[in-house]
Amino acid sequence: MASNILFLPFRRTHSASLSAAIRQYISTKYDQHPDMFTRDMEAIDKLRADAVNSLEAHVSGIRKLTAYAAQLVWIGGKFPIDIGVDFTWYPALGFNTQRPISQNNLRFELANVLYNLASLYSQLAVSLNRSTSEGLKSACNYFCQAAGVIAHIKSDIIPDMRSSPPEDMDLMTLESIQQLLLAQAQECFWSKAVKDGMKDGTIAKLAAKVSDFYDQAAEYGTKSDTISTEWIHHMTAKHHHFAAAAQYRASRECLDKQNYGEEVARLRDSLTCVNEALKESRWINKIVLGDLNGLKSRVSEDLKRAEKDNDIIYLMSVPPKSELKSLDRAGMATPRVPEAVSNPSSTLGEGGTFGQPLFAKLVPYAVHIAANIYEERKNRLVNVSIIDELEGLTNKLRDLLQSMNLPGSLQALEKPLGLPPTLTSHAQEIRQQDGLHRLRRSMHETAKLKANDSAIFQEGVELLRSEAAEDDRAKLKHGTDRWSREPSQQAAEKLYARIMEIDGYLKSASSSDDLIKGKLKDCEKALQVLGGNDRDLEEYVPSSRRATMTPSVERAAGDLRNILNEVSRLEHNRKKRIEKVRDKAKADDINYVILAETARLERELPMQKIEPAQFENLFEERLARYDEDRKQIAKESEEQDQLSRQLKEANTEFANARRGDSSTREREQALQRLENAYVKYKEIISNIDTGRKFYNDLAKIVNRFRDDCKNFAYQRRIEAGQLESDLSNAMSALNLSQTTSLQDQKQRESLRSHYSAKAPSSEPLTAPVPTRAAAAPPQVPSPGIWNPDVGIKFGGPPPQQQQANGNVHNPAYPNTRGRGGQWDVSQGVRFG
């Protein structure tokens, strides 16, 4: 129905299964099972169906559209923007309204849904009864909300779309639409002011602002590729119309104030504006044209009356237009974004208008990544910066003891017969743990883990090599010009970089494995002795004669024993500290803290996707709890340096006191070899445990690498198949055109040879003389053969005679006389 105001048409779409893409994404990217969210998936599909089918001007559509938009904003923080659904929408404006646009983009879907919400608001405004003050007030409110939604799309949705917006959602188009909606809102307020009988000065200010809005809408519309010329003509006419209305109301105010000269000037300007508006009469509808003609009639009558009165009675000078004061503006229309659009999180949750947010229990993938990042940083801090440092101090201390042949030299002196208690406890520990067999078994298991990781890694590498070989073969077959896709190493640059990275891990681990094997080989014989029975151990450690201990030797041995006890105490406390740090790291579960932080971010930034970088401050705060443990390393290092100096001094005094005494030399060496073997045993166990953990962690990396290689190869094969098909179709079309051109060429060559054979080579060819073709004689039909030129004939023998008028009479059918044997439809079909 024709109207003096415009409305936004709805955008149309096709059905799309958002739940299927969400299910697929959850199953591949999350640790949670998609069946946990079946109800949420059904709900999101229903919300979309309700929203996209709300294509009529009814207030119930507002809730449907805003509810779906709020959930889209919410799930934007749970899933990536390109979730895997091609949302197809038809433009509402422009010349391509029948050409759909598809994008795998949640923001694109949200922009279209909000656009339809703005359309709904505008259509609700148009559908109201604007002949009443309440109707005009409601229409003004709807237009302001529509303008607010368009402004929200322009400022918040389109910049975050990460792709080119549709042609009817570019900046100039949205600006034009927004100004048009504000103009119509202001026009409704102006109409209400007129209906309520407000002062002419106030109405003039309102009309002037309406004119400004329409002027801006038309200006932006001319810069848009989708705003139609009809709309631009409408907005231009409205701009001049309300400029005229503003001057007309200002003239009436001048009349009340007895400014008769200014009244005439403003009426003349009003008439000029009306005439400018009427220049658009060919393109505007009848209602707008009727309004303009009505205004022109009124202005003309008032102008005639004012000029007559001023010329005869008042005799005031009429100022030119340039001296007229510009009219003030009273803007009552502003963009108002509905709360459900500007703050959608307020409509979700406990007490929210639209209920609980969907997929609330789904932990975003970025949270899993963030938790893994923290675990890696924590483990690196604990293992490398704390435990490795402490163990490095212990190894340094043990190397010092080994270089001084301690505690073997002291044990041989203190107990020349039998086995020292320390050695006995070491031997018992190794026997209980089945020491040597345990080491070999652990190394074998570690080798199996390594082989498995290497096999999986090589499988991924072979997939990439095979795909690259297929691509090279296709390139040789079709040529580099037609086979234009990027090479494999460029298309999978990150995967090829990971090959070098993982290969470096494996080589480094292989070197560490060889080092462990070398340690085991060095102490294997001593470990066999420690793992054997006491008799073998006693035979391995020779007894020595009891040496006479002088007071100086006894004093030096006592001092050395005290220092060694301090060393043992230091090692024992350090071991406990290492276990304490490990337990502390094991109990450090950041998942609940990250989930709480995620919930806060989702509430405060619902449109922003959760990224691991957003948890950096939390990581720093959390890792600060290990600062005290790191400070303790410096204290221990200082304490160990002091103890090492004391140990060196005590051992020097002990060696000087025993100078010349070689009675315990062999026993000292045997005890020291066994002590060193025990220390190596503990080192190898720790190294194997570290290696096992490394290969288990590497298994996750190589499995992910292989899966990524499979996906890449699969996608490249699909792409190659499509490219092959396109090239085949192109070649088929080319072959067909070549065949046609070859046939044409052969015909031309045959004609050329024909004429060249007839014409002498020495004489030029003469132009052919045009002749009229002789008329062919009429064909006489053969008996029993139908000729289309003579119509349909039924029964009897063929005609024997031709009458003068060309008609044939068949005796079997008397009514055929004068019809020449042709069938007359009006006579029907007769047999017999």
Side-chain angles (χ1 to χ4, degrees), residues 20 56 82 103 119 124 175 275 347 363 408 412 779 822:
E56 58 181 12
D82 51 344
Q103 286 191 24
S119 301
L124 286 172
E175 284 285 2
N275 290 329
T347 63
V363 180
Q779 295 182 359
Q822 295 186 0

Side-chain angles (χ1 to χ4, degrees), residues 404-606:
M404 293 187 292
N405 204 20
L406 290 174
S409 60
L410 186 59
Q411 289 175 346
L413 179 65
E414 292 176 339
K415 191 173 177 60
L417 301 175
L419 300 174
T422 306
L423 180 61
T424 304
S425 65
H426 291 344
Q428 187 175 2
E429 179 183 349
I430 291 177
R431 291 169 194 163
Q432 289 175 350
Q433 296 177 357
D434 195 15
L436 196 57
H437 294 291
R438 175 190 176 184
L439 293 180
R440 289 170 178 166
R441 185 170 59 250
S442 298
M443 292 176 69
H444 179 67
E445 291 173 354
T446 304
K448 288 174 64 177
L449 290 174
K450 175 184 177 181
N452 185 57
D453 290 351
S454 299
I456 295 173
F457 170 63
Q458 289 301 323
E459 184 180 349
V461 173
E462 287 302 321
L463 285 169
L464 291 180
R465 288 175 180 170
S466 175
E467 190 280 325
E470 292 174 4
D471 187 63
D472 291 340
R473 287 195 296 270
K475 193 174 294 182
L476 289 174
K477 178 181 177 181
H478 298 286
T480 55
D481 292 338
R482 289 192 296 271
W483 198 260
S484 56
R485 69 172 184 172
E486 58 182 350
S488 300
Q489 291 195 357
Q490 292 181 9
E493 185 177 356
K494 292 183 179 180
L495 285 177
Y496 279 91
R498 284 165 65 184
I499 291 178
M500 303 300 296
E501 181 183 354
I502 296 174
D503 188 58
Y505 290 157
L506 289 171
K507 288 180 179 178
S508 176
S510 181
S511 300
S512 299
D513 294 341
D514 293 340
L515 185 62
I516 294 173
K517 290 178 183 178
K519 289 182 181 180
L520 179 59
K521 185 176 181 181
D522 292 341
C523 63
E524 187 172 5
K525 292 183 179 179
L527 286 177
Q528 287 178 345
V529 173
L530 286 171
N533 52 40
D534 289 342
R535 183 176 178 180
D536 295 337
L537 191 59
E538 290 173 354
E539 289 179 355
Y540 184 83
V541 179
S543 299
S544 61
R545 62 181 177 83
R546 186 175 297 275
T548 303
M549 296 181 64
T550 62
S552 60
V553 172
E554 188 173 357
R555 183 175 59 255
D559 292 341
L560 184 58
R561 171 54 61 189
N562 291 334
I563 299 298
L564 287 176
N565 289 339
E566 287 296 318
V567 170
S568 299
R569 181 191 60 79
L570 180 65
E571 289 185 350
H572 179 72
N573 291 339
R574 185 173 292 163
K575 185 177 179 181
K576 288 176 63 177
R577 183 170 290 109
I578 289 174
E579 292 300 322
K580 184 179 178 181
V581 171
R582 282 178 175 154
D583 293 341
K584 180 179 178 181
K586 188 176 181 180
D588 184 10
D589 187 3
I590 199 175
N591 288 324
Y592 294 104
V593 182
I594 289 182
L595 289 175
E597 180 68 8
T598 302
R600 184 188 67 81
L601 292 172
E602 288 176 340
R603 286 193 305 271
E604 296 179 1
L605 305 168

Side-chain angles (χ1 to χ4, degrees), residues 69-119:
Q71 295 290 356
L72 279 178
V73 172
W74 168 259
I75 67 175
K78 297 282 186 180
F79 302 104
I81 191 172
D82 51 344
I83 192 172
V85 183
D86 287 328
F87 297 105
T88 302
W89 287 86
Y90 289 86
L93 302 173
F95 303 100
N96 299 315
T97 56
Q98 300 302 318
R99 184 182 300 171
I101 300 173
S102 296
Q103 286 191 24
N104 175 18
N105 192 320
L106 283 174
R107 296 291 184 273
F108 174 71
E109 171 84 345
L110 179 61
N112 283 279
V113 171
L114 291 179
Y115 187 97
N116 272 4
L117 179 61
S119 301

Side-chain angles (χ1 to χ4, degrees), residues 656-672:
N656 292 334
R658 294 194 60 212
R659 184 168 296 165
D661 184 7
S662 59
S663 59
T664 60
R665 181 64 56 83
E666 293 182 2
R667 183 175 175 84
E668 289 176 12
Q669 294 175 352
L671 290 173
Q672 192 61 42

